Amino acid sequence: MKEEILQKATDLFLNLGFKSVTMDDLAHEMGISKKTIYSHFENKTRLVEESTMNLFCVISNGIDHIVSLKKNPIEELYEIKKFVMSHLKDEKASPQYQLQKYYPRLFETLKKKEFEVMQECVVDNIERGIEIGIYRENLNVQFVSRIYFSGAISLGDHDLFPSSMFTKVALEDYYLEYHLRGIVTPKGRKILNSIINSNQE
């Protein structure tokens, strides 16, 4: 039952937001009593923590799996983006923004964990890209990987990127293309253009 509650809570949080979903809403959606929820989670904060960390683990494991396939590094980044977006339901309720606002301590913990996972993944991606000649060999790998992370985090800032101006999907597409165009060689650019063109068909 705990897993089912976690799954349903995560869906609701992603679609409606951490702030607006109450324990009553969750109980009603699942057709169970609030008492049942409280027997597994002492309060809403605990539920938010566990659902957030659970989703983080699912996404991290998925990214690890994609990286283990050792695809072309440019394709790999597009695969990861697609996978993450499918699990975040296009982030209708901007969970990152809401976490930062209403659960700042949890947001900071999550950000540190995300940095560790992303840093390792992006450094590996860049190094392999340089090795096979699709990324420029004069890149400062640590600088590029950290700039990539800081930019990815800032996409969730509604003041910078209001949803009235950008959809989440479009933002992710623009950002990934922006990152790659800055680091590819002419050989890499051909691969990038072919992926972008096939995505537009």
Side-chain angles (χ1 to χ4, degrees):
M1 179 51 88
K2 183 175 181 178
E3 282 305 310
E4 290 168 35
I5 294 170
L6 210 50
Q7 191 57 57
K8 177 51 82 174
T10 304
D11 282 347
L12 289 173
F13 289 147
L14 286 174
N15 284 306
L16 304 170
F18 292 107
K19 177 72 172 164
S20 52
V21 176
T22 65
M23 295 301 232
D24 280 317
D25 294 332
L26 181 56
H28 177 70
E29 277 286 323
M30 295 191 71
I32 58 176
S33 67
K34 267 203 302 187
K35 192 176 172 186
T36 306
I37 299 173
Y38 284 118
S39 70
H40 295 285
F41 303 94
E42 57 189 297
N43 52 41
K44 184 181 168 184
T45 301
R46 187 77 198 138
L47 180 59
V48 169
E49 278 173 11
E50 289 204 34
S51 70
T52 304
M53 288 308 166
N54 185 54
L55 183 60
F56 170 77
C57 288
V58 168
I59 290 175
S60 297
N61 292 337
I63 290 173
D64 287 346
H65 172 67
I66 292 168
V67 171
S68 76
L69 301 174
K70 296 291 177 200
K71 293 185 169 205
N72 171 293
I74 295 174
E75 285 175 33
E76 178 181 278
L77 287 181
Y78 274 93
E79 281 297 309
I80 288 172
K81 177 184 72 81
K82 204 163 83 181
F83 172 78
V84 171
M85 292 299 285
S86 74
H87 278 272
L88 293 179
K89 326 279 187 203
D90 298 340
E91 291 196 339
K92 293 183 190 71
S94 306
Q96 180 189 306
Y97 180 75
Q98 291 208 356
L99 265 190
Q100 191 171 7
K101 194 169 177 184
Y102 303 112
Y103 300 92
R105 273 173 55 198
L106 177 57
F107 173 78
E108 286 306 321
T109 304
L110 191 64
K111 193 167 126 184
K112 284 193 183 83
K113 285 177 173 290
E114 283 176 350
F115 176 71
E116 285 161 19
V117 169
M118 228 171 131
Q119 182 69 356
E120 192 179 325
C121 163
V122 176
V123 165
D124 172 73
N125 182 279
I126 296 168
E127 287 174 345
R128 280 190 297 115
I130 291 172
E131 210 174 290
I132 62 172
I134 61 172
Y135 296 160
R136 290 187 287 112
E137 58 182 27
N138 64 341
L139 295 172
N140 181 316
V141 176
Q142 283 297 324
F143 173 78
V144 174
S145 62
R146 285 160 193 265
I147 272 288
Y148 184 65
F149 177 77
S150 76
I153 286 290
S154 74
L155 294 184
D157 184 331
H158 276 217
D159 297 325
L160 277 176
F161 300 103
S163 53
S164 57
M165 201 178 283
F166 305 97
T167 67
K168 184 69 183 165
V169 176
L171 261 186
E172 294 291 343
D173 282 338
Y174 295 151
Y175 183 61
L176 186 50
E177 182 181 348
Y178 174 80
H179 164 70
L180 286 166
R181 288 214 183 275
I183 65 174
V184 290
T185 59
K187 180 181 169 186
R189 195 176 303 120
K190 283 181 187 164
I191 298 167
L192 176 60
N193 287 339
S194 115
I195 290 174
I196 289 169
N197 291 336
S198 70
N199 285 347
Q200 285 169 350
E201 283 168 9

